Amino acid sequence: MKVTRLCLWLHALSITGVLVGAFDPITTTVFVGVGATLGRFIYSKFQESCNAKWIFFNTTGLEEDLNRNVFGQHIASRIILKAVSGFMNNPNPKKPLVLSLHGWTGTGKNLISQLIAENIYKEGMGSNFVHVFTSTLHFPHPSQYLTYKSQLQQWIKGNVTNCEQSMFIFDEMDKMHPGLIDSIKPFLDYYDKVDGVSYRKAIFIFLSNAGGDGIAQRALEFWKEGRNREEIELKDLETHLALSVFNNNQSGFYRTSLIDKNLVDFFVPFLPLEYRHVVQCAMAEMRERQLATNKDVADKVAKELVYFPKSERVFSVKGCKTISSKLDYYT
């Protein structure tokens, strides 16, 4: 608001001749030069730019956010912290960072994407350099498949040209037309430049429910064996996850060259959430709203959710997705 008022004031004075009429030609030239410099200063100070003032990685912040806000995801949290930290601290990466997050709805995929953005970009998800594509919104018509491919390439090329440290989040990959994502394969590869543009400092994150059932089944096996879920390791899930997604003809990753050419750096599994994790989500939501945390209320919210398998009620079918609306009813 202050910047807008200053600009309007300067503009009004110049129109009425107060600025120009008050000085001789030499002084006027100097003043105009000073005004232009001031304008550039104001613009650079308040307008988001692709530089270290607006884009800087906070390793400690990401680690703290993951510990404080993400529950039941020891594998995902560890991979994300190491992968993002390693990439952001590398001044000369060989390719863009490509992460594919998989799991049931409400397990934290969108949340972790948000936390990554918040610890890289000063404006977080509101940054002009963070771009979110939702399959059902941006690519809804299979008949427009070829048009979407061309548009997607142009969108990404234009944004990376504008800022090489851009982030692209593709939500609902399981609903994307198979083959569409292959259009951006050259941007994710080990090329120095593609048509004069370097994509090596960009980040691509894919979110999908595909593979979630297999992840849940593996977690259930550990539970039935009486083993701690924290014993589950990436090696127990990653290979099977990549293959199941690659062979799923209902997924945007079906037979994709991104997987075939090993361009996805990490397939990140998100485990289904147990009752205790749902309670933690409810407590975290209370803190976010600056409400007094109430364990009894959190328990009531958690008990209302649907669990799988029905007899044992081990995993929340929708994770923590409906916690916010459920909490409205009890607070």
Side-chain angles (χ1 to χ4, degrees), residues 248-262:
N248 183 352
N249 61 9
Q250 300 299 315
S251 168
F253 280 125
Y254 178 61
R255 304 293 183 183
T256 177
S257 60
L258 271 62
I259 296 177
D260 191 38
K261 300 299 182 181
N262 299 308

Side-chain angles (χ1 to χ4, degrees), residues 57-68:
F57 180 53
N58 184 350
T59 308
T60 303
L62 179 58
E63 183 174 14
E64 291 177 349
D65 282 344
L66 290 170
N67 291 333
R68 184 170 54 246

Side-chain angles (χ1 to χ4, degrees), residues 35-90:
T37 303
L38 178 61
R40 287 193 296 270
F41 169 75
I42 292 172
Y43 182 86
S44 64
K45 184 173 179 63
F46 295 96
Q47 178 68 28
E48 184 184 22
S49 302
C50 185
N51 57 41
K53 176 184 175 181
W54 297 91
I55 303 176
F56 49 90
F57 180 53
N58 184 350
T59 308
T60 303
L62 179 58
E63 183 174 14
E64 291 177 349
D65 282 344
L66 290 170
N67 291 333
R68 184 170 54 246
N69 300 301
V70 181
F71 309 109
Q73 303 299 350
H74 66 284
I75 299 175
S77 293
R78 183 172 63 249
I79 295 173
I80 293 298
L81 182 60
K82 289 186 176 181
V84 176
S85 297
F87 179 77
M88 292 302 298
N89 291 324
N90 183 354

Side-chain angles (χ1 to χ4, degrees), residues 145-173:
Y145 167 71
L146 294 178
T147 300
Y148 293 151
K149 290 183 71 171
S150 177
Q151 289 178 340
L152 187 55
Q153 289 178 331
Q154 293 304 314
W155 285 335
I156 292 177
K157 181 179 180 180
N159 282 300
V160 175
T161 299
N162 183 44
C163 182
E164 63 178 357
Q165 290 185 292
S166 293
M167 176 186 290
F168 301 92
I169 301 172
F170 292 83
D171 199 4
E172 299 183 341
M173 280 297 298

